[in-house]
Amino acid sequence: MFNGRFEGWYYKQRTGDYMLAFIPGRADGGAFIQMIDSDGTRHFPMPQMSVWRDTVHVGDCVFSPMGLRVRLPGVEGTLHFSTPTPLRSDIMGPFAGLPMQCRHGVVSMNHSVDGEITVDGVTHVFAQGSGYAEKDSGRSFPRSYLWLQCNDFDEPCSCMLSIAHIPFLGFSFTGCICAVLFGGREYRLATYRGVRIVSGDREHLILRQGRLRLELTVIPRDGGHPLLAPMRGSMTETVRECCEAYLQLHLMQDGKTLLRTESNHAAFEERTDISR
């Protein structure tokens, strides 16, 4: 038992039109690995799990900021990552040390991926593929949230965004964390920095913070693939992740365009209110 809590890591990589992500974690039901790729999802119960910083040993598999090795039924291979690209500081800001229903962390906004993974006899070769890694811990996922991530734009850029219902000390609010890495700079928009959600419609999200304005258009290509999600420490909920969402990004400062780019390879999840 994990005492009503969960923790998990999300290691995503892409080569061409193929996306593959592994989610090693543990909750009240024990350790597990979830896998999602362009074809669907799989769930593997695991016998044990150990963690040192962001290196996870679970069963015969290892996941770390420098690479991963998987030995699972029908899935086997090794990937090597270049030096990870972390954010300058914790994406949770001042909330990082406070009691939260769900705590989010970014391990690497972008890194290159090399190696091979064989899935059901088909070998996928990653040669300078793109990678991203994050983590979550707490009791439950938010009852409603929007999450997206992409580092496969026309321009060399990486973006992550989460907008969620946040219960906190007897009340609740809509929280936002967002980071865009472009041109050697990190642009962060967050509730604790005074971001304002001008439009919360995912087809045209607009965030404004001081001199910055970020406009995002998100169009999922399908309803996504099902993944198990935590509820009070047990993996009893289901969310759906789309691996191939269209994303258009427009970042402005003082009314001038810093970056306008798009991708057909964004990862996207959206969850509406669920009774608690």
Side-chain angles (χ1 to χ4, degrees):
M1 300 292 287
F2 202 47
N3 298 321
R5 300 184 63 80
F6 77 94
E7 61 179 350
W9 282 255
Y10 175 86
Y11 280 94
K12 172 198 160 194
Q13 33 277 319
R14 174 179 290 279
T15 178
D17 291 330
Y18 182 68
M19 176 270 202
L20 172 67
F22 294 99
I23 307 171
R26 57 186 171 187
D28 271 352
F32 60 85
I33 295 174
Q34 294 195 81
M35 176 185 132
I36 179 169
D37 69 1
S38 302
D39 299 318
T41 54
R42 306 182 190 199
H43 181 84
F44 304 94
M46 303 301 292
Q48 76 281 330
M49 173 175 162
S50 63
V51 179
W52 185 78
R53 294 184 178 177
D54 288 317
T55 296
V56 181
H57 292 258
V58 55
D60 293 327
C61 304
V62 180
F63 303 87
S64 84
M66 300 310 297
L68 62 85
R69 183 188 73 232
V70 291
R71 302 288 187 270
L72 298 166
V75 184
E76 184 170 340
T78 301
L79 298 178
H80 302 283
F81 304 156
S82 66
T83 303
T85 307
L87 295 175
R88 291 197 303 263
S89 60
D90 197 312
I91 190 64
M92 296 288 288
F95 291 97
L98 298 176
M100 305 294 291
Q101 178 190 47
C102 183
R103 181 173 285 106
H104 191 76
V106 175
V107 178
S108 177
M109 286 289 288
N110 187 53
H111 50 263
S112 62
V113 182
D114 292 278
E116 297 181 357
I117 298 286
T118 300
V119 180
D120 294 337
V122 177
T123 298
H124 301 275
V125 178
F126 293 79
Q128 293 293 294
S130 61
Y132 170 82
E134 65 176 32
K135 57 185 176 180
D136 289 285
S137 62
R139 299 183 303 279
S140 305
F141 272 9
R143 75 183 190 191
S144 62
Y145 68 87
L146 179 153
W147 170 89
L148 64 85
Q149 187 280 325
C150 186
N151 50 359
D152 293 275
F153 291 99
D154 295 334
E155 301 285 342
C157 167
S158 181
C159 172
M160 67 78 56
L161 165 75
S162 179
I163 298 175
H165 171 271
I166 309 295
F168 184 69
L169 300 178
F171 68 98
S172 64
F173 62 94
T174 298
C176 173
I177 49 176
C178 175
V180 179
L181 266 59
F182 171 70
R185 292 192 58 185
E186 174 188 317
Y187 300 90
R188 187 181 302 196
L189 300 94
T191 299
Y192 53 82
R193 293 192 174 184
V195 71
R196 185 163 66 93
I197 303 172
V198 179
S199 171
D201 181 351
R202 68 168 164 79
E203 292 188 0
H204 197 199
L205 283 160
I206 303 175
L207 307 179
R208 178 174 290 171
Q209 178 182 291
R211 301 162 57 200
L212 293 174
R213 178 184 174 96
L214 178 64
E215 297 184 7
L216 299 168
T217 299
V218 187
I219 304 174
R221 299 297 188 189
D222 53 45
H225 302 305
L227 289 168
L228 296 179
M231 166 69 132
R232 301 188 185 96
S234 296
M235 303 297 288
T236 55
E237 298 289 292
T238 300
V239 298
R240 302 187 72 88
E241 179 173 328
C242 175
C243 303
E244 308 291 344
Y246 170 78
L247 174 61
Q248 183 183 85
L249 183 153
H250 187 193
L251 178 65
M252 290 166 281
Q253 184 171 312
D254 296 326
K256 297 180 180 179
T257 295
L258 297 176
L259 172 66
R260 186 193 293 270
T261 187
E262 62 183 358
S263 173
N264 287 309
H265 299 308
F268 174 79
E269 290 180 16
E270 185 177 39
R271 187 185 199 188
T272 56
D273 283 351
I274 296 175
S275 174
R276 286 286 188 266

